[in-house]
Amino acid sequence: MTHTSSVPLYWRLKKSKYNVIGTRCRTCNTAYFPGRQLCQNCRRKGEIEELKFSGLGKILSYTIIRTAPQGFEQYTPYAVAVIELDEGTMISGQIVGNPAGLKIDQRVKPVFRKISEDGSDGLIHYGMKWELVDGQ
Amino acid sequence: MVNVAVVGGGYTKFGEHWSRSLRSLATEAGTLALQDAGIDGKDIEALYVGNMSAGRFIGQEHLGALAADQAGLLPIPATRCEAACASGALAFRKAYMAIKSGEYDIVLAAGSEKMTDVKGTDAVATLMGAGDQEWESAIGLTFTGLYALMARRHMAQFGTTREQLAMVSVNNHKNGVHNERAQFRYEITVEQVLKSALIADPLRLLDCSPITDGAAAVILVSDRIAGKFENPAWVLGGGHASDTVALHDRASLTEANATKIAAKKAYEQAGLSPGGIDVAEVHDCFSINEIMSIEDLGFCRKGDGGKFVEAGKIALNGEMPVNTTGGLKSIGHPIGATGIRQICDILSQLRGRSGRLQVSGANTGLACNIGGTGATSIVHILGKEEPKGR
């Protein structure tokens, strides 16, 4: 169980799970993805607004998962990276395609993909994965 | 201010205890600690028990009362402490503070985890509870995966080599051979580590601490009564700090700010620098974490951890002996028990009772217990001399 089976959980995260929409603190100009309700620097003094990210970023580090948690066993081996978005914040995400040639600093962009499913007759979870920007 | 001493400790054999329950292991550890301190259960005024996830591993919550009940310590106050893999050190810290407050003179701090009642993939998913559920677990990350992300970045940034990572496991196994309570009592070679199965590149099976059942317990007392005990180990200083739960929310993938802050506080309180530490227990849940932590604890400069290990400085006879009893890698990592087990082994070193694993003339020891990918870090420094003037 990975506790992703709740429909409300996915629904309330739909902006950030299906789009790269996070937040920004207007007071100190820090971007957050996933979005935060409270700025880490300014706390209650910070003015938070929604921010649509460009979605573009680069691989800061990556791994290839070969022993997966329950619910992901059928997808191994799959690559997961920490991606530094151009707006200056980091996010974890799966990288689609052949993981063999991945390198640090490669440019990536988000793609809409199936993430996991709750067994053969359960919910199918969709969300963002990332792919290399063409020409790399 | 009240000074606090550790006057007894013990831990069960760590391993796959298919015939033993959580309550049986925890009770054994508590009994060992009481015997070691030479006190009776009726002397204990409060109990703190570290445990990460009994709710998911065995379907049991409410562990504070359960532990007091099973140990025959009713009706003393009993509290469960949870900070993922740092749950044990958290229980120790809360027990220390309870005495420091003046409320109690004798407190039992314990830790336990029963991990082998669920299948491996369930255990992997349960351990991911220590990460960010919405953004790490939900995309299929594992703890090995998270530490692999740190390892690859550390290798790219500082030139840390795959062999240097392997040498951490080799060192810890070499020591663990002589620890009769360790899960894996055999030596391994760098070549064996490099040929072991890839779990999450670049980390392999022999970079990872195992899934383990076990329990540990220590007795803490105030300076008002410490004189009744032989060879107390005094708590010279401690620190506890937090960081983001998600690895990707950190400023850096290659250092744990919580460890740096916790260590700074512990060194300041103890009046010591990293060079003043004679022996250290450092959280090697994965080989890369021992390398990053010896840097964050100040034993070497940031980025030099791999070279420090390669030069043999962490060996039993090295300049900074680390994980002299086997570390998490060889002894095993029953999550909630580990932080208390570390204190037990430092106590043993300071008392000069570590046998073949003894660091000669050990007067000070440090224990660093880390939760998640570094979202919690707890550091304690113990010493043979009672702190003065505080």
Side-chain angles (χ1 to χ4, degrees):
Chain A
M1 277 297 295
T2 51
H3 288 281
T4 49
S5 51
S6 148
V7 173
L9 189 156
Y10 259 71
W11 182 250
R12 65 180 176 255
L13 290 172
K14 64 183 186 294
K15 281 188 177 169
S16 47
K17 288 282 184 184
Y18 305 145
N19 290 286
V20 198
I21 297 176
T23 58
R24 180 175 61 165
C25 173
R26 261 207 283 218
T27 313
C28 69
N29 203 31
T30 304
Y32 294 108
F33 185 79
R36 284 179 183 256
Q37 207 167 316
L38 206 57
C39 174
Q40 286 174 304
N41 307 318
C42 309
R43 293 185 289 278
R44 281 183 297 160
K45 293 190 187 76
E47 209 181 319
I48 294 284
E49 63 179 9
E50 206 169 89
L51 174 68
K52 174 107 171 76
F53 283 67
S54 70
L56 294 170
K58 65 173 184 182
I59 294 175
L60 205 65
S61 188
Y62 66 94
T63 181
I64 300 163
I65 306 283
R66 293 164 194 275
T67 299
Q70 199 174 50
F72 289 89
E73 300 100 323
Q74 68 271 37
Y75 304 114
T76 56
Y78 55 90
V80 180
V82 170
I83 295 152
E84 185 176 7
L85 298 171
D86 288 354
E87 289 80 358
T89 181
M90 298 190 283
I91 187 66
S92 306
Q94 277 195 36
I95 308 289
V96 301
N98 181 3
L102 286 179
K103 289 187 188 72
I104 286 176
D105 287 339
Q106 278 177 320
R107 299 280 298 164
V108 292
K109 62 181 185 190
V111 282
F112 190 73
R113 286 285 190 280
K114 182 171 123 182
I115 303 290
S116 61
E117 56 193 69
D118 299 334
S120 54
D121 53 0
L123 288 175
I124 295 175
H125 303 289
Y126 293 91
M128 264 185 307
K129 292 186 183 179
W130 304 76
E131 67 180 2
L132 297 184
V133 172
D134 293 342
Q136 291 183 88
Chain B
M1 285 287 273
V2 179
N3 280 324
V4 179
V6 184
V7 297
Y11 57 95
T12 65
K13 167 87 180 158
F14 280 15
E16 295 180 318
H17 286 293
W18 294 318
S19 62
R20 308 272 313 266
S21 63
L22 180 76
R23 56 185 78 186
S24 146
L25 291 163
T27 304
E28 181 192 334
T31 305
L32 289 169
L34 285 165
Q35 275 171 356
D36 187 44
I39 57 171
D40 193 83
K42 69 177 183 337
D43 301 325
I44 305 287
E45 296 174 286
L47 164 66
Y48 292 83
V49 56
N51 176 269
M52 175 183 165
S53 202
R56 287 189 60 173
F57 282 126
I58 59 169
Q60 178 71 60
E61 309 287 13
H62 212 167
L63 288 192
L66 181 71
D69 173 9
Q70 293 293 313
L73 297 176
L74 298 176
I76 63 165
T79 308
R80 172 185 177 174
C81 300
E82 189 272 314
C85 322
S87 299
L90 184 62
F92 182 79
R93 186 126 193 94
K94 294 301 137 186
Y96 163 78
M97 287 181 163
I99 294 176
K100 203 87 179 155
S101 75
E103 185 75 11
Y104 307 118
D105 287 307
I106 306 190
V107 175
L108 175 61
S112 60
E113 209 79 50
K114 174 72 192 172
M115 302 174 72
T116 63
D117 278 1
V118 296
K119 59 182 183 176
T121 49
D122 280 349
V124 169
T126 296
L127 292 172
M128 267 312 291
D132 184 319
Q133 213 293 316
E134 291 181 358
W135 292 97
E136 292 178 333
S137 317
I139 62 156
L141 260 170
T142 60
F143 253 85
T144 319
L146 286 161
Y147 275 96
L149 289 164
M150 292 188 246
R152 190 181 303 279
R153 188 72 203 168
H154 201 278
M155 292 164 90
Q157 203 167 329
F158 303 115
T160 304
T161 66
R162 204 20 287 202
E163 287 75 14
Q164 288 167 345
L165 289 168
M167 287 168 196
V168 171
S169 301
V170 170
N171 175 74
N172 297 354
H173 268 258
K174 188 175 180 186
N175 294 337
V177 168
H178 305 293
N179 181 348
E180 61 191 20
R181 288 158 294 173
Q183 183 166 1
F184 301 128
R185 299 188 61 198
Y186 49 81
E187 291 201 33
I188 57 172
T189 62
V190 168
E191 193 178 36
Q192 281 173 316
V193 179
L194 300 186
K195 281 187 178 165
S196 63
L198 271 168
I199 306 296
D201 314 31
L203 296 183
R204 293 172 178 271
L205 182 66
L206 292 179
D207 289 297
C208 311
S209 58
I211 285 171
T212 311
D213 303 323
V218 291
I219 311 288
L220 296 88
V221 304
S222 70
D223 53 11
R224 287 186 288 271
I225 61 164
K228 296 177 189 167
F229 299 90
E230 284 177 27
N231 288 326
W234 295 92
V235 181
L236 306 183
H240 170 186
S242 310
D243 203 344
T244 64
V245 168
L247 177 67
H248 56 236
D249 282 338
R250 311 264 169 85
S252 164
L253 299 184
T254 52
E255 67 177 28
N257 195 46
T259 297
K260 292 172 72 174
I261 304 276
K264 184 168 185 282
K265 185 139 196 209
Y267 289 132
E268 276 170 11
Q269 278 183 4
L272 288 169
S273 65
I277 303 297
D278 296 328
V279 56
E281 285 289 328
V282 176
H283 198 90
D284 59 317
C285 52
F286 299 94
S287 54
I288 181 62
N289 203 21
E290 182 166 324
I291 287 182
M292 282 173 50
S293 299
I294 59 180
E295 297 165 351
D296 295 334
L297 291 166
F299 297 149
C300 64
R301 283 192 320 184
K302 179 49 67 184
D304 286 351
K307 294 182 205 110
F308 195 79
V309 170
E310 187 170 11
K313 296 188 179 181
I314 63 165
L316 195 55
N317 58 359
E319 78 180 43
M320 182 64 250
V322 173
N323 291 333
T324 56
T325 52
L328 284 60
K329 175 69 196 80
S330 160
I331 306 175
H333 184 25
I335 308 291
T338 286
I340 301 287
R341 193 275 305 156
Q342 292 179 320
I343 300 289
C344 289
D345 284 340
I346 293 293
L347 173 67
S348 172
Q349 285 285 2
L350 297 179
R351 286 167 157 182
R353 292 187 194 166
S354 296
R356 291 183 65 168
L357 299 171
Q358 183 64 42
V359 172
S360 65
N363 284 310
T364 57
L366 176 150
C368 172
N369 191 199
I370 294 176
T373 51
T376 296
S377 187
I378 302 177
V379 174
H380 286 102
I381 297 173
L382 277 64
K384 282 162 85 164
E385 300 293 325
E386 183 177 357
K388 292 184 181 68
R390 291 183 38 225

